[in-house]
Amino acid sequence: MIRARTFTDARQQAHSNAELHWWIFMRISGLILMFLILGHVYMTFIQVSESDATFDAVVNKLANPAWKFYNWLILSLSLLHGANGARYSIEDYVRSRPNRAWVKGVFYTVIALLFAFGTVGLFSI
Amino acid sequence: MHHRYDVLVVGAGGAGLMAALYAAKGNVSVACISKLYPTRSHTGAAQGGIGAALGNVQEDHWEWHMFDTVKGGDYLTDQDAAEVFAKDIIDAVYELEHMGLPFSRTPEGKIAQRKFGGHTRDFGKAAVERSCYAKDRTGHMILQTLYQQNVKAGTTFFNEFHVTDLLIEDGRCQGLVAYELSTGELHTFHAKAVILAAGGYGRVFKITSNALTLTGDLMSIYYRKGLPLEDMEFYQFHPTGLAKLGILVTEGIRGEGGILRNDSGERFMERYAPTIKDLAPRDIVSRSIITEIREGRGVGRDKDAVNIDLTHLPREVIEGKLAEITDLARTYLGMDPVKDLVPIQPTAHYAMGGIPTNLDGLCLSDGSGGTVEGLYAAGEQACVSLHGANRLGTNSLGDLVVFGRRAGIAAAKYARQVEYPDMPEGAQRESVDLFERLRNGSGKENAAAIRKDLQESMMNNVGIFRNGKDMAAQVEILKELKARYQGVTVSDPSRRYNSELIEAMELGFMLDCAEAMTASALNRTESRGAHDREDFTERNDTDWLKHTMAYKNLNKADDVIIGYKPVALKGFTRAFEPKPRVY
Amino acid sequence: MTQTTAQASSAPVSASVPMLQLKVKVLRFDPEKDKKAYWTTYDVEAQPGDRVLDVINHIKWYLEPSLTFRRSCMHGICGSDAMLINGRNRLACKTLVRDVAKSGGTITVEPIRGLKVEKDLLVDMEPFFDSYKAIMPYFINESPAPAAERIQSEEEAERMAHSSNCILCACCTTSCPIFWVNGSYLGPAAIVQAHRFIFDTRDEATQQRLGIMNQNTGVWRCRTAYNCTEACPRDIPITQLIEEVKRAVMYGQA
Amino acid sequence: MYRGREGQWAFLLHRLSGLAILFYLMLHVFSIGSFIFGERFYMTIHETYDLVPFRIGLLFVTAGVVYHAFNGLRIIVMDFTGFGVAYQRQMWYGVMLLSVLAFIGSAIVVVPRILGGY
Ligand SMILES: Cc1cc2nc3c(=O)[nH]c(=O)nc-3n(C[C@H](O)[C@H](O)[C@H](O)COP(=O)(O)OP(=O)(O)OC[C@H]3O[C@@H](n4cnc5c(N)ncnc54)[C@H](O)[C@@H]3O)c2cc1C
Ligand code: HEM
Ligand code: SF4
Ligand code: F3S
Ligand code: FES
């Protein structure tokens, strides 16, 4: 047996634009990242292997404030973009409410720590 | 389980949903019980449109519509019903529009209308645009819109509940019993008023445009109480259904120039209707097709169809104007009407007869004004005698909304005035017995095999052509089938979702409908409207301008008592004298 | 069927059509007695032009009466018989045997995904209809109606041509990879219904419906996987409609 | 497995590549950022990246980035234009082509290095 939901039931749904804003953010940050990351990959492609990124090479390049900013933009945008993308997945696959809460909590903490760590690193050179 | 509602509606097709809406407006508690989810009801299959004299395209008046309905019904139509109908339907269509139904529009933005067989201006002078439509899915839109409005109104639905018995004592309906498919439980519903709107019973025929679930359940239940079924002999066959499948193909194919051909490619309509050939009326074409098939000139593996040939028409016409048949032929036959001949065959389509009611939908218990208090009926399963001996295209959808609404209003009004009737002792007894027998019998009969035999024999003997000999034979066949039915035992013991049990029960209902239909048809020794007898080819107004009322003889097995009811030959303000029905 | 017109008009249509020998593999489950769903294979003879539903009916009527599924209209209008046929969501009555198997071949039939299986091919449809009801699937216009119809142009009526065609069969929603894992997603069918009203010029509750679509469970969960569009038996361009609703929400909030 | 068509696989790959890149990014930020702990620590981490599995993994990450970036573009075009929905399939094949090219391109650079042992 079903009792049809009424007009007022349906109207009482909460209102928030958060999902819309995240949706727009994913597209805009994606567009910007597209240039930043493909540029980054292209420029560092010659190195290809992480071991080419020697201490000195990295330090030298990051001495330039423009590169600092470039890298910081990548860092923050891609972490936010990636974190929100991962949130989509968590909300889809982690179905039990309590589990979802702590998985999200741990995940956001890791992202925040990484962000702090990366920022400090970038600007401490 | 026990439930109690002021008004109960059985069936959630167009008629049931309309009745539920209006009953709810009458300030009473309402529940709708349906064996299908509401949107699965067969009202959704209707394509053509709903006729109303809006006059959006051309001048039109309700009097003209009333006349067409009466004439279309071969004067067996009750003219008071036709008058109420032709007036009310105008309002009802506007009301559907106000409920949001997405009608197709005229360039001025009004509801679009088109021509349809039998609808004329000026009492038969010329065709008129009267059918209001929403593309080629008017019924679908009506069903969806009415369901939506019920969701809005918060109607309580009991979906996938099969009504198995009506509780009627001393001429008063007290409620009903229903079987819940998901649990196998029987529920008793106690009510002040019950509205029946459970649709047709086309599945008694082998080839039909009706759904597998249209098995005449409530007609049979009514009939089992010794109450009458009216005009059961009138059953409409549509000439063009896809071969084997019975899926309806619009009349437009002939209108656009399609040609019917037999096995040798001959254009056989030249022999039956030399002047207008393939454009002859529905009944003549249906009869001609059947003659060809009977004389062995059919096509197909069983030689039981003829071809419709569109190959001479330009591709644009076929794909543009006949998009629907093109799509159906491609989907179901893998044939392209542009290149291939499409096999078609007449298909059982619509029951004019059913549970007799007065203009408010109140059920009649005999032919002389007796009623069943608190019991109402509407839709295809009811017979207000709007369609008489032959229904006009687009008048059924109108019937649903006009008389569904009237039944809803009347039932709510009645429910407000009365107390709950007492429930009878052991309300569920008959239903329990029915299921006990089907579950625990010892017979080995297969219900599907019996159903197949029923459908084939009805198609052959009480189909488009009827004669005394075949129908008398059918009476015997039905006796045999009913005897075999007693030997049906359901093999699936489960309680939940036991669809085998349901199908077996439905077969029992179908057998009853077939019995009443065959007896009524055998009894009427004339040809009128859809009832065509080879042994009595003329209409006979002196003896037969009356409705048939078929009663089950409760004292003698397999016996049907035939009674009659007068035809209302006058409306409230207009009346049309019976005349020969020529177009 | 590759016969020519000449043959079709003179020879019986299907006399020459051979019967196909098929194996029909059905995923069966009866919670009353089974712990797990299991496959059963039935040998069936069918004509190429038979519907898959005809074949399943045949199995039920003559081979395995307890086989359970929903069906009614037999021609794709009632929306009862959505099933997973050979790995895709289809209406069994709108799928022909010849399109899914050759003679000697196998047809697999499973219940649609993401809804609880009640018995064999029959699933619990309540969650599906609940999401339908959540979008306020009814016309709302509280201003007094005119005596006749509300005027609407042909173009405005055409805006609803696709969305109003939906028969609520659930082929789309149960083919959506997001819905499988996340039942709180309203799903494509509900969004199609919302589209029907959002783009109806006569309706006055557009903002409320856009508000519902704007929620976490609404239109933003769609990841444009297109399974819904491929599955729809009514050829509704569902993904396109969903994208239109996304834009309507976005511009509506701007 | 549901026999979906291009759109289903496009979605699945987009999600997988996105999560993979995120995972890589997290490692990358950690390792690059680790130079604040001094050169020794930094170089130790980076030597482990020289292992063959890491190098091959990088191939896939590169292809994944290219796929995710261009499919992201495809999604944006679908979201904002009717054209995008109509030609989503064709666009997806374009995206796949680019990803394969990127994979081959980086393989040309990386494989000799793996074989050459540096
Ligand atoms: C292919 C086709 C095309 C048509 N085209 C047109 C057209 O263009 N114009 C027109 O005017 N008419 C047309 N008709 C006729 C018209 O559509 C039908 O007569 C009409 O829809 C019947 O509506 P209904 O509400 O009486 O029953 P239905 O819509 O058939 O509904 C019956 C309801 O009763 C319920 N029910 C049945 N038995 C039980 C039970 N035992 N217990 C509980 N519930 C039960 C079912 O669940 C269902 O909800 C067409 C018919 C067909 C088949
Ligand atoms: C390079 C340019 C990039 C573009 C153009 C881009 C674009 C997009 C877009 C448009 C979406 C939304 C998809 C949808 O709503 O269906 C998305 C999702 C996502 N992106 Fe990116 N992105 C880029 C880079 C990245 C990076 C660097 C990461 C990782 C850190 C990342 C991780 C993700 C994840 C995890 C998702 C969620 C996937 C899903 O839910 O299906 N993206 N991306
Ligand atoms: S949109 Fe198509 S697939 Fe989805 S429920 Fe409606 S008709 Fe079925
Ligand atoms: S399948 Fe699902 S993700 Fe969107 S495009 Fe269809 S709803
Ligand atoms: S049985 Fe009605 S849609 Fe298939």
Side-chain angles (χ1 to χ4, degrees), chain A residues 1-21 23-24 26-27 85 87-95 100 104, chain C residues 126 129-131 133-136 138 140 142 177-178 181-184 205 207-208 210-212 214-217 220-223 243 246-247 249-250 253:
Chain A
M1 175 179 70
I2 51 173
R3 181 175 280 277
R5 284 190 201 170
T6 59
F7 182 53
T8 27
D9 285 350
R11 196 155 48 179
Q12 275 164 2
Q13 303 245 351
H15 274 253
S16 129
N17 281 335
E19 285 296 329
L20 165 65
H21 294 144
W23 186 81
I24 295 173
M26 288 303 268
R27 308 252 137 205
R87 176 182 68 94
Y88 288 155
S89 292
I90 293 172
E91 284 174 358
D92 281 344
Y93 299 113
V94 186
R95 291 315 307 148
R100 197 158 65 220
K104 272 191 191 171
Chain C
E126 293 302 323
F129 279 101
D130 279 348
S131 8
K133 284 172 203 142
I135 62 104
M136 309 200 290
Y138 33 79
I140 297 172
E142 309 295 339
I178 303 296
V181 293
N182 183 350
S184 68
Q207 281 312 319
Q208 276 117 314
L210 289 178
I212 294 166
N214 193 10
Q215 300 312 301
N216 187 300
T217 50
W220 305 124
R221 282 241 92 82
C222 167
R223 297 261 90 79
E243 295 289 288
K246 285 181 187 167
R247 274 177 296 215
V249 175
M250 184 171 60
Q253 296 300 330

Side-chain angles (χ1 to χ4, degrees), chain B residues 40 42 211-212 332, chain C residues 53 70-82 91-94 167 169 233:
Chain B
R40 314 284 183 234
H42 210 56
L212 284 172
Y332 288 110
Chain C
L53 185 58
R70 291 193 180 93
R71 82 285 177 279
S72 180
C73 70
M74 301 282 286
H75 69 282
I77 183 67
C78 75
S80 300
D81 57 343
L91 291 180
C93 66
K94 247 195 149 176
I167 55 175
C169 66

Side-chain angles (χ1 to χ4, degrees), chain B residues 12 14-15 34-36 41 43 48-49 163 198 217 350 380 391 394 396-397:
Chain B
S34 170
K35 71 176 175 182
L36 301 172
S41 303
T43 296
V163 173
D217 305 7
Y350 183 85
E380 181 168 345
R391 172 181 71 98
T394 80
S396 169
L397 291 176

Side-chain angles (χ1 to χ4, degrees), chain C residues 17-104:
Chain C
V17 178
M19 296 294 272
L20 305 182
Q21 306 300 322
L22 298 173
K23 293 200 181 309
V24 182
K25 219 175 122 190
V26 183
L27 191 61
R28 303 208 54 198
F29 177 61
D30 179 354
E32 273 179 58
K33 47 184 211 285
D34 307 322
K35 282 219 170 56
K36 254 183 68 204
Y38 59 95
W39 292 98
T40 307
T41 305
Y42 304 94
D43 290 304
V44 181
E45 206 174 53
Q47 274 180 263
D50 280 345
R51 294 163 279 203
V52 172
L53 185 58
D54 291 318
V55 173
I56 299 173
N57 267 333
H58 178 85
I59 296 174
K60 176 169 184 63
W61 292 341
Y62 300 106
L63 303 175
E64 182 50 74
S66 65
L67 183 64
T68 300
F69 49 92
R70 291 193 180 93
R71 82 285 177 279
S72 180
C73 70
M74 301 282 286
H75 69 282
I77 183 67
C78 75
S80 300
D81 57 343
M83 304 173 186
L84 199 48
I85 297 172
N86 281 5
R88 292 195 168 126
N89 275 7
R90 293 286 179 262
L91 291 180
C93 66
K94 247 195 149 176
T95 309
L96 298 192
V97 166
R98 83 160 86 81
D99 296 330
V100 288
K102 296 194 181 61
S103 193

Side-chain angles (χ1 to χ4, degrees), chain A residues 23 27 31 45-53 55 58 75 78 82 89 92-93 110 114 117 121 124-125, chain D residues 15 22 24-26 28-30 35-36 42 46 49-50 58 65 70 73 75-76 79 106 109-110 113:
Chain A
W23 186 81
R27 308 252 137 205
L31 268 184
F45 200 70
I46 325 298
Q47 313 176 340
V48 167
S49 127
E50 285 276 353
S51 64
D52 289 349
F55 191 76
V58 173
L75 174 74
S78 57
S89 292
D92 281 344
Y93 299 113
V110 170
L114 263 178
F117 181 65
S124 66
I125 294 180
Chain D
R15 181 160 273 194
L22 178 62
Y24 174 78
L25 177 84
M26 290 163 78
H28 193 64
V29 170
F30 180 72
F35 70 92
I36 57 171
Y42 177 88
H46 276 72
Y49 289 137
D50 269 353
L58 202 60
V65 169
F70 285 102
L73 213 58
I75 294 174
I76 294 170
D79 285 336
S106 51
V109 182
V110 173
R113 295 190 188 191

Side-chain angles (χ1 to χ4, degrees), chain B residues 160 213 263 301 339 496, chain C residues 5 9 47 70 72 118:
Chain B
E160 302 196 324
T213 43
D263 65 340
R301 195 157 53 113
K339 296 187 281 126
R496 305 175 72 255
Chain C
T5 317
S9 60
Q47 274 180 263
R70 291 193 180 93
S72 180
E118 296 283 5

